[in-house]
Amino acid sequence: MKSAMGIFSRNRTNDTNGTETAAVSTPIKVAVVYYSSTGTIAEVSKQIAQYAEKAGAEVRLLKAAELAPQEAIDANTAWAANAAATADIPEATPADIEWADAVIFGSPTRFGNIASQLKQFIDTLGGLWAQGKLADKVYSGFASSSTTHGGQESTLLALYNSFHHFGGIVVAPGYTDPAKFADGNPYGTSHVDAQGNNPVDHTTREAARVQAERIVRITTALKTGLATT
Ligand SMILES: Cc1cc2nc3c(=O)[nH]c(=O)nc-3n(C[C@H](O)[C@H](O)[C@H](O)COP(=O)(O)O)c2cc1C
């Protein structure tokens, strides 16, 4: 098994007393990996990536590869528009997950579960899992649905099942900031798109900010702590 010490780099430095201590000098690495058909989760992903970067992380914004046939995409205006708008975003690979200290996954609800495209990507991580390389990283998630009680929590909890199998450190936003009482989902940022009639709004952007900042803060603390032990 690759230990956390292997994942987290460590440098020697002097504190104010001149004592040599271990410290983390490189920014933490965050991979934001999402799937989105009609653009809602793509928009939330951008927010999370931007806020994580603003909080000091090195960020990779990545999408799960599409599995649907081109005819299905072309038949849905919003889906086709999102595919075109996100064409430049690289597709996630297992190497991106190995690279990251923290991974934040995003998915629309699909009958209360994650989208098959994201699941397919997660299923490609078996090789890393077998080598212990998914363990000791921070994981978190975000979701969207069409309706208010349409399955956001069950989608996030289904996603979080896999994180336990990874040996991951699950960091949910909880109600750690007043903004979380507005979006109301302690499991992860979530947005109700009302069948495309409710674009990503201030409430969801604030939830994205809180989650991104928390992931960077907790991951940095873990990295620093592990580097000093
Ligand atoms: C096959 C399928 C199943 C869905 N299941 C649900 C559901 O159970 N509850 C719900 O509220 N929305 C459901 N939706 C709607 C999407 O989860 C929702 O519109 C989401 O915000 C779309 O995200 P996107 O724009 O990033 O693709 C479903 C959509 C599809 C295509």
Side-chain angles (χ1 to χ4, degrees), residues 20-32:
E20 193 183 48
T21 55
V24 173
S25 62
T26 50
I28 61 142
K29 302 182 189 90
V30 175
V32 179

Side-chain angles (χ1 to χ4, degrees), residues 30-93:
V30 175
V32 179
V33 180
Y34 76 91
Y35 174 75
S36 178
S37 292
T38 49
T40 308
I41 282 292
E43 181 59 23
V44 182
S45 301
K46 258 193 284 174
Q47 295 296 309
I48 294 209
Q50 281 169 8
Y51 282 121
E53 202 162 70
K54 211 169 163 189
E58 186 182 345
V59 178
R60 288 184 186 175
L61 175 60
L62 306 154
K63 65 187 181 202
E66 185 55 85
L67 299 175
Q70 192 61 44
E71 310 86 72
I73 299 167
D74 293 342
N76 181 324
T77 314
W79 198 350
N82 179 52
T86 59
D88 289 345
I89 294 179
E91 288 181 357
T93 68

Side-chain angles (χ1 to χ4, degrees), residues 34-43 79 82 107-113 143-152 191-196:
Y34 76 91
Y35 174 75
S36 178
S37 292
T38 49
T40 308
I41 282 292
E43 181 59 23
W79 198 350
N82 179 52
S107 177
T109 287
R110 292 284 188 260
F111 307 126
N113 213 317
S144 70
S145 66
S146 182
T147 57
T148 304
H149 299 290
Q152 296 176 347
H191 184 75
V192 176
D193 74 11
Q195 292 169 316

